[in-house]
Amino acid sequence: MTHEWADHRIFEVEDGAILYGVDHASLFLIDSSVQEVINRWGNDPTVDLSKVSESDRDVLEGLRDIRLLIPAGSAKSWPPVRFDPEEFPMSTMVLEVAQDCNLRCTYCYAEGGSYGGQSRLLDSETARAAARYLVKESGDLKDLTLVLFGGEPLLNMPAIKAAVEEAEKMASAAGKRLLVSLTTNGTLLNADIVSFFRDHRVVVSVSLDGPPDLHDANRPYASGKGSYSKILPQVQALLENNTSAVAARVTLTPDQWSRCEEVFDHLMGLGFHEVGIAPASPISKDLFPDQEQEDVLLQSFAAMARRFSRAAREGRILPFANLIELLGRLHMGQTKAVACGAGYGYLAVDAGGEFYLCHRLAGEKDFEVGNLETGPDPEKIRSCLGHVTAGKDEMCEKCWARTLCSGGCHYENHLRENTLGIPPGSSCNFILRWLQIGIELYADLRHAGADKLLAQFEKRTGC
Ligand code: SF4
Ligand code: SF4
């Protein structure tokens, strides 16, 4: 039978090469003999296995077995089959309990945390209704996630308590497991709140951007005063009393990207169990990075990957969330037909009880897709998804990362394309280089025999 090459890419690494199969996001360490056979036959549009030398045939049959050589004329895997949002039960609800904040972070999408003066708190009855909706509409799913978000969610503890208690009661009656997570700026934590989180096993992330000078530059109060010294004692109480791991969620502006390692070390020194570092979204042109700044960030992430590798060789996991999430996906061979779960069982509910495609798009009328009374409107979800993915299929078709990225975050794309007027694809170079860092690290860990360590990441995914 005649075969043709499935889309693949070879990454040269120190100890050999990695063969990456695009369709299945599969990774294989290969030696020079396999690479030579691929080089010999790789430019032929088709390969007839009966007409190659015996030694080449052995290698090519191995490549066929791992679906790198496929029967000629097989269906192409891109564009992927598009699912119907209606087929997806609710699995994750992001509840915006407070569209208000006591800080004025420089990179905040909500007009520096002020919400343009339109701050709103979710009332407790609506919080309970949202919790009931999540459980009732979850079909046969056994695992549900309720994410409590803001603004600053701790401005509205009554709604948090109402939502958590109702969701727990409903989930328990339905025989489902519920995960509750919450991201806070930490300023309003107190003993009662910490004990509520402990009793209800809430997984808490604290937005803390690093050492005082850096954090205070990013996350001041409305008065201009920094928030670091206020947060620190509250966070210590949380770290000492919470039964779940507590993560620090860092946001850095492009001029701060050279400080990633220092930030990581500072936060680990405070006792956080894990640290994730996100580049600030380009809500305005001055936060849109230039090439040099992107290089600096990638160099910082590459340095973190080297530290990760050294720790793994000592049998330890470096708790850097960015790499843990990516390694988990690579290890599971998790491919993406869509960029994220938004609209496919993942929806946000804002403080007024309206559904949005994603929490970061809450408040944008074009992404409102129904409300708690009427339920999400499948037609509106389809139309939103159609709008945010328009033009991506063609752009992504020839990209080796398409099954890992699938077009990128809708919110980030929307910001760049609609707010800044930058054409699609402006973040691709960064995405590709970041994925390559992850792939090379993954190969390195496999090479080092760190399979048991990798297996621990299997349950980790992003949004
Ligand atoms: S990196 Fe760019 S071209 Fe590649 S899949 Fe992602 S969005 Fe598409
Ligand atoms: S990837 Fe982006 S669009 Fe999708 S859920 Fe996450 S933040 Fe929202």
Side-chain angles (χ1 to χ4, degrees):
M1 185 190 276
T2 314
H3 286 74
E4 63 187 20
W5 291 97
D7 202 355
H8 62 275
R9 188 181 168 98
I10 293 177
F11 298 99
E12 307 283 347
V13 287
E14 213 173 304
D15 300 321
I18 307 160
L19 176 58
Y20 174 72
V22 172
D23 290 342
H24 305 283
S26 45
L27 285 161
F28 307 93
L29 293 170
I30 54 171
D31 60 23
S32 55
S33 64
V34 174
Q35 210 176 338
E36 275 165 27
V37 176
I38 296 175
N39 290 344
R40 201 154 35 247
W41 294 99
N43 289 327
D44 289 16
T46 57
V47 182
D48 185 341
L49 293 180
S50 64
K51 293 190 178 145
V52 304
S53 68
E54 207 170 317
S55 58
D56 279 8
R57 191 179 316 132
D58 277 353
V59 174
L60 292 169
E61 281 178 349
L63 295 171
R64 180 198 58 194
D65 293 346
I66 58 169
R67 297 179 290 185
L68 261 295
L69 269 177
I70 53 176
S74 302
K76 295 283 177 234
S77 65
W78 196 268
V81 178
R82 291 288 180 230
F83 301 107
D84 186 347
E86 255 183 302
E87 290 168 11
F88 288 76
M90 280 296 289
S91 60
T92 302
M93 177 184 279
V94 184
L95 197 52
E96 304 236 346
V97 292
Q99 281 174 279
D100 192 2
C101 193
N102 56 340
L103 296 186
R104 294 290 179 268
C105 301
T106 56
Y107 44 63
C108 178
Y109 57 91
E111 293 171 63
S114 70
Y115 285 84
Q118 302 291 309
S119 65
R120 288 191 299 177
L121 299 182
L122 184 74
D123 68 72
S124 297
E125 194 37 57
T126 310
R128 274 189 281 275
R132 285 195 292 276
Y133 189 90
L134 168 65
V135 182
K136 271 193 190 153
E137 297 303 320
S138 61
D140 293 335
L141 294 179
K142 283 281 168 232
D143 291 291
L144 307 179
T145 303
L146 176 65
V147 182
L148 300 161
F149 214 77
E152 172 45 43
L154 301 194
L155 285 170
N156 194 2
M157 272 313 285
I160 289 177
K161 287 183 174 166
V164 172
E165 283 163 3
E166 187 79 357
E168 278 176 346
K169 189 174 78 187
M170 295 284 296
S172 154
K176 295 172 188 266
R177 286 178 293 266
L178 177 74
L179 172 77
V180 182
S181 70
L182 175 143
T183 301
T184 173
N185 65 30
T187 53
L188 301 170
L189 282 166
N190 60 36
D192 286 347
I193 295 175
V194 169
S195 89
F196 179 82
F197 289 163
R198 188 189 52 232
D199 295 347
H200 294 269
R201 297 181 168 276
V202 177
V203 177
V204 183
S205 298
V206 181
S207 304
L208 198 58
D209 289 351
D213 69 306
L214 202 158
H215 177 90
D216 287 344
N218 289 355
R219 304 180 68 83
Y221 285 95
S223 64
K225 189 174 178 298
S227 53
Y228 184 94
S229 60
K230 172 75 180 161
I231 297 169
L232 207 56
Q234 331 276 36
V235 165
Q236 294 300 352
L238 179 71
L239 289 166
E240 281 158 23
N241 288 293
N242 216 38
T243 44
S244 307
V246 180
R249 293 283 169 240
V250 179
T251 305
L252 299 180
T253 55
D255 56 315
Q256 299 166 338
W257 288 351
S258 60
R259 296 181 66 183
C260 287
E261 284 189 86
E262 176 198 350
V263 166
F264 177 84
D265 290 334
H266 179 82
L267 295 169
M268 290 307 296
L270 293 181
F272 280 98
H273 303 105
E274 188 176 290
V275 176
I277 300 181
S281 296
I283 52 164
S284 57
K285 277 244 157 58
D286 57 317
L287 286 177
F288 187 74
D290 61 30
Q291 187 58 57
E292 210 175 311
Q293 289 167 322
E294 275 194 2
D295 289 347
V296 167
L297 183 58
L298 287 159
Q299 280 157 17
S300 299
F301 283 174
M304 292 302 293
R306 288 192 291 278
R307 288 176 63 171
F308 201 104
S309 169
R310 286 198 293 278
R313 281 172 162 73
E314 292 162 9
R316 289 186 295 113
I317 294 175
L318 188 80
F320 182 46
N322 305 47
L323 283 171
I324 291 175
E325 274 157 24
L326 180 53
L327 290 169
R329 283 178 47 212
L330 293 171
H331 186 62
M332 298 292 284
Q334 236 175 37
T335 56
K336 286 181 170 187
V338 291
C340 64
Y344 297 101
Y346 174 116
L347 286 172
V349 173
D350 80 349
E354 313 286 346
F355 278 109
Y356 285 86
L357 196 60
C358 148
H359 57 293
R360 296 173 84 195
L361 291 161
E364 298 248 8
K365 275 286 162 206
D366 289 347
F367 296 96
E368 188 190 311
V369 294
N371 59 56
L372 276 170
E373 270 173 38
T374 58
D377 177 345
E379 205 41 60
K380 282 191 180 164
I381 295 178
R382 275 185 216 110
S383 149
C384 276
L385 288 169
H387 168 72
V388 288
T389 55
K392 302 283 184 310
D393 281 351
E394 209 183 319
M395 182 179 93
C396 303
E397 185 175 9
K398 295 193 174 53
C399 175
W400 66 262
R402 60 182 179 265
T403 50
L404 288 172
C405 164
S406 206
C409 167
H410 304 321
Y411 168 76
E412 294 282 336
N413 292 338
H414 173 69
L415 261 186
R416 285 176 160 80
E417 292 158 28
N418 296 324
T419 312
L420 301 184
I422 293 167
S426 62
S427 48
C428 295
N429 182 42
F430 180 83
I431 293 171
L432 295 176
R433 290 172 65 195
W434 162 241
L435 290 174
Q436 187 166 343
I437 289 172
I439 287 171
E440 288 174 0
L441 175 61
Y442 181 75
D444 174 63
L445 297 179
R446 291 294 299 270
H447 194 70
D451 294 29
K452 271 198 193 144
L453 190 128
L454 285 164
Q456 295 178 46
F457 305 152
E458 286 173 7
K459 289 214 163 91
R460 293 296 300 261
T461 49
C463 61

